[in-house]
Amino acid sequence: VLRPNRHGAWPGRKTAQQRLVTIKLRLNSADDPTQVQNLVRELRAATRIFDDNSETDLVIRTYGEQLLARGTVIDRDIVLDSDWSVGQPAVSLLIACADPRRYDPMVISSVITNGASSTVINAGDTASHPIVRINGPATQPSLSNLTTEKLLAFNITLLSNERLEIDTNAGEVTLN
């Protein structure tokens, strides 16, 4: 937070803001330039702006690496320039990703039998907040973060048909 009437700011936890992704492309219907209008309609439908907070998966591929972000289109521009007549209009999309982190598209999971323990490693370069599902039967299940030395423990007995879901990003725990 900026200091009033002084240089600098009060120190605090630094957090990244939303990630903005710009995609520029050309619609190409060189085989049949009369199909440009259909391509434009399909693009508008695929990149429509929703009224809710929903986000869709966006896989960003750069130099052999693929990373996953979740975002929503917040701006779309289809340039109707001279290339429109030959079936190659320019398109620009702006996508806002509320969570600025990029993830490996491969989901990492670990199945742990009752009474056993397992280690799951975050191979990324920033903190991650997993969703953990604990299927019953289980008595007083717990999770330990060995890096931060934090513990989540639940004073509960799960029956064989019950499941505890822990969303560490939202800070929510749901039974069944």
Side-chain angles (χ1 to χ4, degrees), residues 6-63:
R6 290 188 66 188
H7 297 289
W10 297 103
R13 182 171 180 246
K14 307 300 185 245
T15 58
Q17 302 303 310
Q18 71 178 345
R19 177 178 300 279
L20 296 176
V21 178
T22 302
I23 299 174
K24 295 184 181 209
L25 53 102
R26 282 203 177 271
L27 294 180
N28 188 348
S29 65
D31 294 337
D32 185 359
T34 63
Q35 293 301 310
V36 171
Q37 191 60 43
N38 289 337
L39 286 174
V40 170
R41 263 191 221 104
E42 287 177 31
L43 177 73
R44 285 185 181 137
T47 60
R48 66 188 178 277
I49 299 171
F50 295 100
D51 286 338
D52 61 11
N53 294 333
S54 64
E55 293 183 313
T56 56
D57 289 347
L58 170 67
V59 176
I60 302 166
R61 189 177 318 166
T62 58
Y63 303 107

Side-chain angles (χ1 to χ4, degrees), residues 36-174:
V36 171
Q37 191 60 43
N38 289 337
L39 286 174
V40 170
R41 263 191 221 104
E42 287 177 31
L43 177 73
R44 285 185 181 137
T47 60
R48 66 188 178 277
I49 299 171
F50 295 100
D51 286 338
D52 61 11
N53 294 333
S54 64
E55 293 183 313
T56 56
D57 289 347
L58 170 67
V59 176
I60 302 166
R61 189 177 318 166
T62 58
Y63 303 107
E65 181 178 42
Q66 291 186 56
L67 297 170
L68 172 76
R70 294 193 51 78
T72 189
V73 174
I74 60 171
D75 192 21
R76 172 185 58 207
D77 187 26
I78 301 173
V79 179
L80 304 176
D81 60 8
S82 61
D83 285 341
W84 174 265
S85 61
V86 295
Q88 295 182 341
V91 176
S92 178
L93 301 172
L94 182 61
I95 299 171
C97 302
D99 181 351
R101 295 171 291 186
R102 296 170 297 168
Y103 297 90
D104 188 322
M106 183 68 123
V107 174
I108 298 170
S109 64
S110 178
V111 177
I112 306 165
T113 59
N114 197 8
S117 64
S118 177
T119 300
V120 179
I121 296 173
N122 173 8
D125 55 9
T126 190
S128 186
H129 300 89
I131 294 174
V132 179
R133 293 179 184 101
I134 301 172
N135 294 316
T139 303
Q140 297 182 327
S142 65
L143 304 168
S144 300
N145 184 326
L146 300 178
T147 303
T148 63
E149 298 182 354
K150 290 185 178 179
L151 173 71
L152 285 175
F154 302 93
N155 188 14
I156 189 171
T157 298
L158 297 174
L159 302 176
S160 60
N161 61 343
E162 294 181 318
R163 179 173 79 181
L164 194 66
E165 183 167 296
I166 304 131
D167 183 338
T168 60
N169 188 45
E172 297 175 350
V173 177
T174 307

